Amino acid sequence: MPRRFLPLGDQAVMAYCDREEDALALAESARRADFPWRLDVVQAYSSVALFYDLAQINFTAACEALAELTNPTSDARRGTTHRIPVCYERGLDFARIEQRTGLARTEIIRLHRETIYTVYAIGFCPGFPYLGYLPAELAGVPRLESPRLRVEAGSVGLTGRQTGIYTEDRPGGWNIVGQTPLTLVDVAEGYFPLRTGDCVEFYAISEAEFAAMLGRRLGLN
Protein backbone atom coordinates (compact mmCIF):
# COMPACT_ATOMS: atom_id res chain seq x y z
CA MET A 1 0.00 0.00 0.00
CA PRO A 2 1.32 3.59 0.50
CA ARG A 3 5.10 3.74 0.18
CA ARG A 4 5.48 7.38 1.10
CA PHE A 5 3.53 10.39 2.29
CA LEU A 6 4.22 13.97 1.24
CA PRO A 7 2.48 17.26 2.08
CA LEU A 8 0.28 18.76 -0.61
CA GLY A 9 0.07 22.40 0.37
CA ASP A 10 -0.72 22.90 4.04
CA GLN A 11 -4.00 20.97 4.22
CA ALA A 12 -3.51 17.69 2.39
CA VAL A 13 -1.50 14.48 2.41
CA MET A 14 -0.38 12.90 -0.86
CA ALA A 15 0.02 9.14 -0.53
CA TYR A 16 1.90 7.25 -3.24
CA CYS A 17 1.19 3.57 -3.90
CA ASP A 18 2.93 0.96 -6.04
CA ARG A 19 -0.10 0.21 -8.22
CA GLU A 20 -3.24 1.92 -9.46
CA GLU A 21 -5.32 -0.85 -7.88
CA ASP A 22 -3.80 -0.12 -4.47
CA ALA A 23 -4.58 3.59 -4.82
CA LEU A 24 -8.19 2.87 -5.79
CA ALA A 25 -8.63 0.65 -2.74
CA LEU A 26 -6.95 3.15 -0.41
CA ALA A 27 -9.12 6.00 -1.65
CA GLU A 28 -12.29 4.03 -1.10
CA SER A 29 -11.17 2.97 2.38
CA ALA A 30 -10.42 6.61 3.24
CA ARG A 31 -13.92 7.58 2.13
CA ARG A 32 -15.53 4.78 4.11
CA ALA A 33 -13.57 5.70 7.24
CA ASP A 34 -15.59 8.94 7.33
CA PHE A 35 -12.95 10.91 9.26
CA PRO A 36 -14.67 13.98 10.77
CA TRP A 37 -11.74 16.18 9.67
CA ARG A 38 -11.72 14.91 6.08
CA LEU A 39 -12.60 17.46 3.40
CA ASP A 40 -12.05 15.39 0.26
CA VAL A 41 -10.31 12.32 -1.17
CA VAL A 42 -8.94 12.50 -4.72
CA GLN A 43 -7.37 9.48 -6.40
CA ALA A 44 -5.34 9.69 -9.61
CA TYR A 45 -3.45 6.70 -10.98
CA SER A 46 -1.18 5.48 -8.15
CA SER A 47 -1.62 8.46 -5.81
CA VAL A 48 -4.28 9.50 -3.31
CA ALA A 49 -4.70 13.03 -1.94
CA LEU A 50 -6.47 13.36 1.40
CA PHE A 51 -7.55 16.93 2.14
CA TYR A 52 -8.18 17.77 5.79
CA ASP A 53 -9.42 20.54 8.09
CA LEU A 54 -6.31 22.08 9.60
CA ALA A 55 -8.33 23.25 12.59
CA GLN A 56 -8.97 19.62 13.56
CA ILE A 57 -5.83 17.71 12.56
CA ASN A 58 -2.27 18.23 11.38
CA PHE A 59 -0.16 16.61 8.68
CA THR A 60 1.51 14.04 10.94
CA ALA A 61 -1.77 12.84 12.44
CA ALA A 62 -3.40 12.66 9.01
CA CYS A 63 -0.51 10.50 7.78
CA GLU A 64 -0.95 8.20 10.75
CA ALA A 65 -4.66 7.86 10.01
CA LEU A 66 -3.92 6.93 6.40
CA ALA A 67 -1.22 4.49 7.47
CA GLU A 68 -3.82 2.58 9.47
CA LEU A 69 -5.68 1.97 6.19
CA THR A 70 -2.78 0.16 4.54
CA ASN A 71 -4.82 -3.03 4.27
CA PRO A 72 -8.15 -1.92 2.77
CA THR A 73 -11.06 -4.27 3.17
CA SER A 74 -11.65 -6.70 0.32
CA ASP A 75 -15.17 -5.35 -0.13
CA ALA A 76 -13.89 -1.91 -1.11
CA ARG A 77 -16.06 -0.32 -3.74
CA ARG A 78 -15.96 -1.95 -7.12
CA GLY A 79 -16.57 0.60 -9.82
CA THR A 80 -19.64 0.73 -12.01
CA THR A 81 -19.24 -0.37 -15.62
CA HIS A 82 -20.60 2.19 -18.09
CA ARG A 83 -21.36 1.37 -21.73
CA ILE A 84 -20.82 4.49 -23.82
CA PRO A 85 -21.88 4.78 -27.48
CA VAL A 86 -19.38 6.21 -29.96
CA CYS A 87 -19.96 7.28 -33.54
CA TYR A 88 -16.60 6.37 -35.08
CA GLU A 89 -17.72 8.01 -38.32
CA ARG A 90 -16.92 11.27 -36.54
CA GLY A 91 -13.27 10.36 -36.03
CA LEU A 92 -10.92 13.08 -37.25
CA ASP A 93 -7.50 11.50 -36.94
CA PHE A 94 -7.68 7.98 -38.31
CA ALA A 95 -5.17 8.72 -41.07
CA ARG A 96 -2.65 9.85 -38.48
CA ILE A 97 -3.29 6.85 -36.21
CA GLU A 98 -3.05 4.48 -39.17
CA GLN A 99 0.31 5.93 -40.12
CA ARG A 100 1.65 5.67 -36.57
CA THR A 101 0.37 2.16 -35.81
CA GLY A 102 0.28 0.50 -39.23
CA LEU A 103 -3.29 -0.60 -38.50
CA ALA A 104 -6.33 -0.24 -40.76
CA ARG A 105 -9.19 1.96 -39.59
CA THR A 106 -11.46 -1.03 -38.98
CA GLU A 107 -8.82 -2.64 -36.76
CA ILE A 108 -8.27 0.57 -34.81
CA ILE A 109 -12.00 0.77 -34.11
CA ARG A 110 -12.20 -2.90 -33.15
CA LEU A 111 -9.31 -2.68 -30.71
CA HIS A 112 -10.62 0.55 -29.19
CA ARG A 113 -14.14 -0.68 -28.57
CA GLU A 114 -13.25 -4.23 -27.46
CA THR A 115 -11.12 -2.99 -24.57
CA ILE A 116 -12.63 -2.38 -21.13
CA TYR A 117 -11.03 0.68 -19.54
CA THR A 118 -10.65 1.86 -15.96
CA VAL A 119 -11.14 5.50 -14.97
CA TYR A 120 -7.78 6.22 -13.36
CA ALA A 121 -8.13 9.99 -13.03
CA ILE A 122 -10.52 12.86 -13.73
CA GLY A 123 -9.29 16.30 -14.67
CA PHE A 124 -8.28 18.77 -17.42
CA CYS A 125 -11.90 19.91 -17.69
CA PRO A 126 -14.89 19.01 -15.48
CA GLY A 127 -15.47 15.27 -15.55
CA PHE A 128 -12.87 14.44 -18.22
CA PRO A 129 -12.03 10.75 -17.64
CA TYR A 130 -8.51 9.48 -18.21
CA LEU A 131 -9.07 5.87 -19.25
CA GLY A 132 -6.46 3.15 -19.32
CA TYR A 133 -5.04 1.30 -20.80
CA LEU A 134 -5.05 1.05 -24.57
CA PRO A 135 -4.07 -2.29 -26.10
CA ALA A 136 -0.39 -2.39 -27.05
CA GLU A 137 -1.19 -2.16 -30.76
CA LEU A 138 -2.83 1.25 -30.27
CA ALA A 139 -0.43 2.65 -27.68
CA GLY A 140 2.23 5.22 -28.40
CA VAL A 141 0.42 7.62 -30.74
CA PRO A 142 1.58 11.13 -29.69
CA ARG A 143 -0.59 14.20 -29.33
CA LEU A 144 -1.15 16.44 -32.33
CA GLU A 145 1.78 18.69 -33.14
CA SER A 146 -0.64 21.66 -33.07
CA PRO A 147 -3.63 21.25 -30.73
CA ARG A 148 -7.06 22.13 -32.09
CA LEU A 149 -8.50 25.37 -30.79
CA ARG A 150 -11.87 23.67 -30.30
CA VAL A 151 -12.69 20.02 -29.73
CA GLU A 152 -16.42 19.31 -29.51
CA ALA A 153 -17.93 17.94 -26.31
CA GLY A 154 -18.29 14.18 -26.49
CA SER A 155 -15.20 13.73 -28.66
CA VAL A 156 -13.31 10.54 -27.84
CA GLY A 157 -9.56 10.79 -28.21
CA LEU A 158 -6.45 8.77 -27.57
CA THR A 159 -2.76 9.39 -26.99
CA GLY A 160 0.07 7.44 -25.41
CA ARG A 161 -1.49 4.56 -23.45
CA GLN A 162 -4.75 6.37 -22.71
CA THR A 163 -8.11 7.21 -24.19
CA GLY A 164 -10.49 9.85 -22.89
CA ILE A 165 -13.67 11.84 -23.50
CA TYR A 166 -13.90 15.62 -23.84
CA THR A 167 -16.90 16.50 -21.68
CA GLU A 168 -17.01 20.14 -22.82
CA ASP A 169 -15.97 22.14 -25.88
CA ARG A 170 -12.27 22.76 -25.25
CA PRO A 171 -8.94 23.16 -27.01
CA GLY A 172 -7.19 19.81 -27.20
CA GLY A 173 -4.46 17.80 -28.83
CA TRP A 174 -5.58 14.18 -28.50
CA ASN A 175 -6.22 12.08 -31.60
CA ILE A 176 -10.01 12.01 -32.14
CA VAL A 177 -11.46 8.61 -33.09
CA GLY A 178 -15.15 9.40 -32.65
CA GLN A 179 -17.79 11.18 -30.63
CA THR A 180 -20.41 10.14 -28.10
CA PRO A 181 -23.82 11.85 -28.20
CA LEU A 182 -24.23 11.55 -24.44
CA THR A 183 -24.02 14.36 -21.92
CA LEU A 184 -21.42 13.25 -19.37
CA VAL A 185 -21.26 16.39 -17.23
CA ASP A 186 -23.69 19.04 -16.00
CA VAL A 187 -21.79 21.35 -13.69
CA ALA A 188 -24.85 23.38 -12.69
CA GLU A 189 -26.70 20.26 -11.53
CA GLY A 190 -23.65 18.54 -10.07
CA TYR A 191 -23.99 15.69 -12.55
CA PHE A 192 -20.70 13.76 -12.75
CA PRO A 193 -21.55 10.08 -13.37
CA LEU A 194 -17.99 8.85 -13.92
CA ARG A 195 -15.75 8.23 -10.91
CA THR A 196 -12.25 6.89 -10.50
CA GLY A 197 -12.47 3.12 -10.25
CA ASP A 198 -15.37 2.90 -12.68
CA CYS A 199 -15.01 0.98 -15.93
CA VAL A 200 -15.92 2.14 -19.44
CA GLU A 201 -16.76 0.03 -22.46
CA PHE A 202 -17.37 1.72 -25.82
CA TYR A 203 -19.74 0.46 -28.51
CA ALA A 204 -20.19 1.70 -32.06
CA ILE A 205 -23.25 3.57 -33.32
CA SER A 206 -24.22 5.13 -36.64
CA GLU A 207 -24.73 8.79 -37.50
CA ALA A 208 -28.51 8.25 -37.34
CA GLU A 209 -28.24 6.71 -33.87
CA PHE A 210 -25.97 9.57 -32.81
CA ALA A 211 -28.62 12.11 -33.81
CA ALA A 212 -31.36 10.18 -31.99
CA MET A 213 -29.34 9.93 -28.76
CA LEU A 214 -27.85 13.43 -28.75
CA GLY A 215 -28.01 15.08 -25.33
CA ARG A 216 -29.14 12.04 -23.38
CA ARG A 217 -27.47 11.33 -20.07
CA LEU A 218 -25.36 8.29 -19.31
CA GLY A 219 -27.56 5.39 -18.23
CA LEU A 220 -30.57 6.73 -20.13
CA ASN A 221 -29.37 5.73 -23.61
Side-chain angles (χ1 to χ4, degrees), residues 9-172:
D10 63 352
Q11 288 185 264
V13 175
M14 182 71 85
Y16 292 93
C17 303
D18 288 334
R19 305 179 307 159
E20 290 92 342
E21 292 80 2
D22 294 338
L24 288 167
L26 178 62
E28 186 57 30
S29 291
R31 295 185 183 105
R32 289 190 177 193
D34 197 24
F35 300 124
W37 41 263
R38 187 197 74 209
L39 300 178
D40 199 5
V41 178
V42 180
Q43 181 266 331
Y45 294 96
S46 58
S47 67
V48 177
L50 175 62
F51 294 84
Y52 53 84
D53 182 354
L54 192 57
Q56 299 185 58
I57 196 170
N58 60 26
F59 174 76
T60 300
C63 289
E64 292 172 351
L66 266 183
E68 294 178 358
L69 301 176
T70 54
N71 292 303
T73 57
S74 59
D75 65 342
R77 176 182 181 271
R78 295 183 179 181
T80 302
T81 296
H82 306 277
R83 296 189 72 242
I84 297 180
V86 176
C87 180
Y88 288 98
E89 297 170 47
R90 290 174 169 254
L92 304 176
D93 297 305
F94 280 108
R96 188 171 188 273
I97 300 170
E98 289 169 4
Q99 182 180 23
R100 295 280 182 166
T101 63
L103 299 172
R105 175 174 176 147
T106 54
E107 185 67 2
I108 293 168
I109 294 172
R110 184 189 69 80
L111 288 168
H112 187 263
R113 66 179 175 78
E114 288 185 358
T115 302
I116 298 177
Y117 304 94
T118 298
V119 182
Y120 283 122
I122 293 176
F124 170 59
C125 63
F128 182 103
Y130 289 85
L131 307 171
Y133 288 109
L134 290 168
E137 299 92 329
L138 280 183
V141 181
R143 291 173 171 83
L144 304 181
E145 287 80 2
S146 298
R148 293 183 171 91
L149 297 180
R150 180 177 178 272
V151 178
E152 291 187 6
S155 295
V156 178
L158 61 83
T159 189
R161 298 174 61 201
Q162 303 173 104
T163 187
I165 309 169
Y166 288 80
T167 54
E168 298 180 335
D169 293 348
R170 286 293 175 99

